[in-house]
Amino acid sequence: MKRPTIADIAQRAGVSKVAVSYALNGQPGVSEATRARILAIATEIGWRPNSAARALNGAKARTIGLALRRPARTLGMEPFFMELISGIEDALSMHSYALMLQVARDHAEEIELYRRWWGEGRIDGAILVDLHADDPRIPVVQSLHMPAVTIGHPSVSGSLPAVWSDDGAAIRETVQYLAALGHRHVARVAGLPKLAHTAIRDRAFAAVCQAAGVKEWTIEHTDYSGEQGARATRRLITSPHRPTAIVFDNDIMAVAGLSVAQELDMSVPGELSIVAWDDSPLSQVVRPALTALSRDIPAYGMNAARTLMAVIAGERTEHFEDVAPHLTPRASTGPAPTRQDMSL
């Protein structure tokens, strides 16, 4: 079945395509009776305006863009992005907007997407994620004069409005909690080192470990996948000076790390405490259930979409600080083991 066209409406109404165009666009040139008849036929046959054609005429595309530079296999398993997208979609649906989502291999490909989407009138704006320090996307988006917001710290967002939360505060709460349980050797299995939020977490982790009396700390960077999370965990807990607690930068890696500990017959939390960043059902169904940094990720996505809609509408917008993640203790954390426990 082909899409209904203006020609189909004109044939049914017995008028010219020009008359149909006038009627559908609210322009003078047709009688009110003819306009009503044309509108009724358009509704009956399910005609909708072509978004590409409307964009060429200066109308809004009623679509925003989101490009993700993560492997598709990783995205399918990572609850964070699925929840973030669900929040974005919820906010957009209130304005009858759609989301154009595409995976890009690198920054160059992502930048080309923005140039094409914006140049062809396919989107009215975009949400940028996974910011880097000196991110090459920022100046390009600014030069295009394309409405955009970033999900990331304002220090790396340039002149674009940022939607962000305080990762440093979440790290402080976590390390202070582990220190209060007696842990003096804490490791962190982190994400990609080039990401701005990873660097912020790295700095906060080192600073709070020093302040909290944690004598040894280690950071292992990964690509966020379960495979690399498992390898990093195996390296850490088979080393001569293994940590008594590990903080993982996402729930996928935390679950993989728990599996490695159980594979090596290590008691959790008796010999090793585990904390996952970003709570999810996955963190709660494993045994023991994982202590996690919890936040409302769909609300995070909704706030990003709402901020972008305000930018598109020409409203003055400021950076939006979302609620920082908070620690939810569960069975995977406990008092630090004694030297005797660790030697068993």
mmCIF file of all heavy atoms in Angstrom, residues 78-98:
data_model
loop_
_atom_site.group_PDB
_atom_site.id
_atom_site.type_symbol
_atom_site.label_atom_id
_atom_site.label_comp_id
_atom_site.label_asym_id
_atom_site.label_seq_id
_atom_site.Cartn_x
_atom_site.Cartn_y
_atom_site.Cartn_z
ATOM 1 N N GLU A 78 23.257 -2.953 28.223
ATOM 2 C CA GLU A 78 23.505 -1.969 29.268
ATOM 3 C C GLU A 78 22.210 -1.248 29.652
ATOM 4 O O GLU A 78 21.673 -0.470 28.858
ATOM 5 C CB GLU A 78 24.559 -0.958 28.811
ATOM 6 C CG GLU A 78 25.082 -0.107 29.936
ATOM 7 C CD GLU A 78 26.334 0.661 29.552
ATOM 8 O OE1 GLU A 78 26.740 0.612 28.388
ATOM 9 O OE2 GLU A 78 26.885 1.324 30.434
ATOM 10 N N PRO A 79 21.687 -1.487 30.838
ATOM 11 C CA PRO A 79 20.414 -0.875 31.228
ATOM 12 C C PRO A 79 20.437 0.650 31.219
ATOM 13 O O PRO A 79 19.402 1.272 30.981
ATOM 14 C CB PRO A 79 20.186 -1.413 32.648
ATOM 15 C CG PRO A 79 20.966 -2.685 32.705
ATOM 16 C CD PRO A 79 22.170 -2.440 31.851
ATOM 17 N N PHE A 80 21.598 1.272 31.469
ATOM 18 C CA PHE A 80 21.637 2.733 31.580
ATOM 19 C C PHE A 80 21.064 3.395 30.340
ATOM 20 O O PHE A 80 20.176 4.255 30.438
ATOM 21 C CB PHE A 80 23.072 3.220 31.816
ATOM 22 C CG PHE A 80 23.193 4.730 31.752
ATOM 23 C CD1 PHE A 80 22.874 5.515 32.860
ATOM 24 C CD2 PHE A 80 23.593 5.375 30.590
ATOM 25 C CE1 PHE A 80 22.956 6.902 32.807
ATOM 26 C CE2 PHE A 80 23.684 6.753 30.522
ATOM 27 C CZ PHE A 80 23.360 7.521 31.636
ATOM 28 N N PHE A 81 21.562 3.031 29.157
ATOM 29 C CA PHE A 81 21.110 3.715 27.948
ATOM 30 C C PHE A 81 19.662 3.385 27.618
ATOM 31 O O PHE A 81 18.927 4.228 27.105
ATOM 32 C CB PHE A 81 22.025 3.395 26.768
ATOM 33 C CG PHE A 81 23.255 4.262 26.723
ATOM 34 C CD1 PHE A 81 24.503 3.731 26.977
ATOM 35 C CD2 PHE A 81 23.161 5.615 26.459
ATOM 36 C CE1 PHE A 81 25.637 4.526 26.958
ATOM 37 C CE2 PHE A 81 24.285 6.424 26.442
ATOM 38 C CZ PHE A 81 25.530 5.879 26.686
ATOM 39 N N MET A 82 19.230 2.172 27.898
ATOM 40 C CA MET A 82 17.834 1.823 27.640
ATOM 41 C C MET A 82 16.901 2.675 28.511
ATOM 42 O O MET A 82 15.865 3.164 28.045
ATOM 43 C CB MET A 82 17.597 0.341 27.912
ATOM 44 C CG MET A 82 18.379 -0.609 27.010
ATOM 45 S SD MET A 82 18.070 -0.356 25.238
ATOM 46 C CE MET A 82 19.525 0.595 24.749
ATOM 47 N N GLU A 83 17.279 2.869 29.780
ATOM 48 C CA GLU A 83 16.460 3.692 30.676
ATOM 49 C C GLU A 83 16.537 5.166 30.298
ATOM 50 O O GLU A 83 15.538 5.893 30.373
ATOM 51 C CB GLU A 83 16.902 3.478 32.117
ATOM 52 C CG GLU A 83 16.614 2.076 32.650
ATOM 53 C CD GLU A 83 16.945 1.953 34.127
ATOM 54 O OE1 GLU A 83 16.594 2.873 34.896
ATOM 55 O OE2 GLU A 83 17.578 0.955 34.516
ATOM 56 N N LEU A 84 17.739 5.625 29.905
ATOM 57 C CA LEU A 84 17.891 7.017 29.482
ATOM 58 C C LEU A 84 17.009 7.305 28.271
ATOM 59 O O LEU A 84 16.294 8.321 28.224
ATOM 60 C CB LEU A 84 19.357 7.298 29.140
ATOM 61 C CG LEU A 84 19.688 8.748 28.757
ATOM 62 C CD1 LEU A 84 19.735 9.631 30.003
ATOM 63 C CD2 LEU A 84 21.025 8.824 28.016
ATOM 64 N N ILE A 85 17.035 6.413 27.289
ATOM 65 C CA ILE A 85 16.238 6.598 26.071
ATOM 66 C C ILE A 85 14.746 6.564 26.402
ATOM 67 O O ILE A 85 13.959 7.331 25.829
ATOM 68 C CB ILE A 85 16.608 5.529 25.027
ATOM 69 C CG1 ILE A 85 18.022 5.806 24.483
ATOM 70 C CG2 ILE A 85 15.596 5.504 23.879
ATOM 71 C CD1 ILE A 85 18.597 4.669 23.664
ATOM 72 N N SER A 86 14.346 5.706 27.330
ATOM 73 C CA SER A 86 12.922 5.651 27.685
ATOM 74 C C SER A 86 12.469 6.979 28.277
ATOM 75 O O SER A 86 11.352 7.451 28.002
ATOM 76 C CB SER A 86 12.657 4.509 28.676
ATOM 77 O OG SER A 86 13.137 4.814 29.972
ATOM 78 N N GLY A 87 13.323 7.617 29.082
ATOM 79 C CA GLY A 87 12.979 8.931 29.640
ATOM 80 C C GLY A 87 12.909 10.003 28.580
ATOM 81 O O GLY A 87 12.020 10.867 28.596
ATOM 82 N N ILE A 88 13.846 9.976 27.632
ATOM 83 C CA ILE A 88 13.833 10.931 26.523
ATOM 84 C C ILE A 88 12.547 10.778 25.719
ATOM 85 O O ILE A 88 11.869 11.760 25.383
ATOM 86 C CB ILE A 88 15.070 10.726 25.618
ATOM 87 C CG1 ILE A 88 16.354 11.134 26.359
ATOM 88 C CG2 ILE A 88 14.941 11.537 24.325
ATOM 89 C CD1 ILE A 88 17.630 10.775 25.620
ATOM 90 N N GLU A 89 12.203 9.529 25.409
ATOM 91 C CA GLU A 89 10.984 9.264 24.630
ATOM 92 C C GLU A 89 9.736 9.753 25.357
ATOM 93 O O GLU A 89 8.820 10.311 24.731
ATOM 94 C CB GLU A 89 10.873 7.761 24.352
ATOM 95 C CG GLU A 89 11.909 7.222 23.379
ATOM 96 C CD GLU A 89 11.460 7.355 21.940
ATOM 97 O OE1 GLU A 89 10.579 8.173 21.650
ATOM 98 O OE2 GLU A 89 11.998 6.619 21.095
ATOM 99 N N ASP A 90 9.668 9.552 26.672
ATOM 100 C CA ASP A 90 8.507 10.001 27.439
ATOM 101 C C ASP A 90 8.317 11.510 27.312
ATOM 102 O O ASP A 90 7.194 11.999 27.111
ATOM 103 C CB ASP A 90 8.663 9.626 28.918
ATOM 104 C CG ASP A 90 8.281 8.183 29.192
ATOM 105 O OD1 ASP A 90 7.719 7.550 28.288
ATOM 106 O OD2 ASP A 90 8.565 7.695 30.306
ATOM 107 N N ALA A 91 9.422 12.246 27.448
ATOM 108 C CA ALA A 91 9.335 13.709 27.366
ATOM 109 C C ALA A 91 8.964 14.157 25.953
ATOM 110 O O ALA A 91 8.166 15.082 25.770
ATOM 111 C CB ALA A 91 10.655 14.337 27.800
ATOM 112 N N LEU A 92 9.530 13.520 24.944
ATOM 113 C CA LEU A 92 9.261 13.914 23.559
ATOM 114 C C LEU A 92 7.811 13.634 23.168
ATOM 115 O O LEU A 92 7.204 14.403 22.407
ATOM 116 C CB LEU A 92 10.205 13.186 22.607
ATOM 117 C CG LEU A 92 11.694 13.525 22.707
ATOM 118 C CD1 LEU A 92 12.491 12.723 21.688
ATOM 119 C CD2 LEU A 92 11.934 15.014 22.504
ATOM 120 N N SER A 93 7.270 12.521 23.666
ATOM 121 C CA SER A 93 5.908 12.153 23.277
ATOM 122 C C SER A 93 4.896 13.202 23.723
ATOM 123 O O SER A 93 3.856 13.383 23.074
ATOM 124 C CB SER A 93 5.538 10.789 23.872
ATOM 125 O OG SER A 93 5.480 10.846 25.282
ATOM 126 N N MET A 94 5.209 13.915 24.808
ATOM 127 C CA MET A 94 4.302 14.961 25.279
ATOM 128 C C MET A 94 4.211 16.123 24.289
ATOM 129 O O MET A 94 3.253 16.887 24.306
ATOM 130 C CB MET A 94 4.770 15.486 26.638
ATOM 131 C CG MET A 94 4.801 14.447 27.736
ATOM 132 S SD MET A 94 5.489 15.123 29.269
ATOM 133 C CE MET A 94 5.648 13.626 30.252
ATOM 134 N N HIS A 95 5.237 16.256 23.434
ATOM 135 C CA HIS A 95 5.265 17.337 22.442
ATOM 136 C C HIS A 95 5.081 16.796 21.023
ATOM 137 O O HIS A 95 5.309 17.524 20.050
ATOM 138 C CB HIS A 95 6.594 18.085 22.530
ATOM 139 C CG HIS A 95 6.840 18.735 23.862
ATOM 140 N ND1 HIS A 95 6.396 20.005 24.171
ATOM 141 C CD2 HIS A 95 7.470 18.278 24.969
ATOM 142 C CE1 HIS A 95 6.758 20.300 25.408
ATOM 143 N NE2 HIS A 95 7.409 19.281 25.918
ATOM 144 N N SER A 96 4.680 15.524 20.916
ATOM 145 C CA SER A 96 4.520 14.867 19.606
ATOM 146 C C SER A 96 5.816 14.910 18.804
ATOM 147 O O SER A 96 5.804 15.096 17.582
ATOM 148 C CB SER A 96 3.374 15.512 18.805
ATOM 149 O OG SER A 96 2.157 15.362 19.494
ATOM 150 N N TYR A 97 6.935 14.756 19.487
ATOM 151 C CA TYR A 97 8.245 14.697 18.842
ATOM 152 C C TYR A 97 8.712 13.247 18.786
ATOM 153 O O TYR A 97 8.323 12.412 19.614
ATOM 154 C CB TYR A 97 9.276 15.514 19.623
ATOM 155 C CG TYR A 97 9.521 16.893 19.058
ATOM 156 C CD1 TYR A 97 8.533 17.869 19.099
ATOM 157 C CD2 TYR A 97 10.747 17.228 18.483
ATOM 158 C CE1 TYR A 97 8.760 19.139 18.592
ATOM 159 C CE2 TYR A 97 10.982 18.488 17.971
ATOM 160 C CZ TYR A 97 9.988 19.443 18.031
ATOM 161 O OH TYR A 97 10.216 20.696 17.517
ATOM 162 N N ALA A 98 9.576 12.938 17.820
ATOM 163 C CA ALA A 98 10.146 11.601 17.675
ATOM 164 C C ALA A 98 11.651 11.667 17.959
ATOM 165 O O ALA A 98 12.259 12.735 17.976
ATOM 166 C CB ALA A 98 9.903 11.072 16.269
#
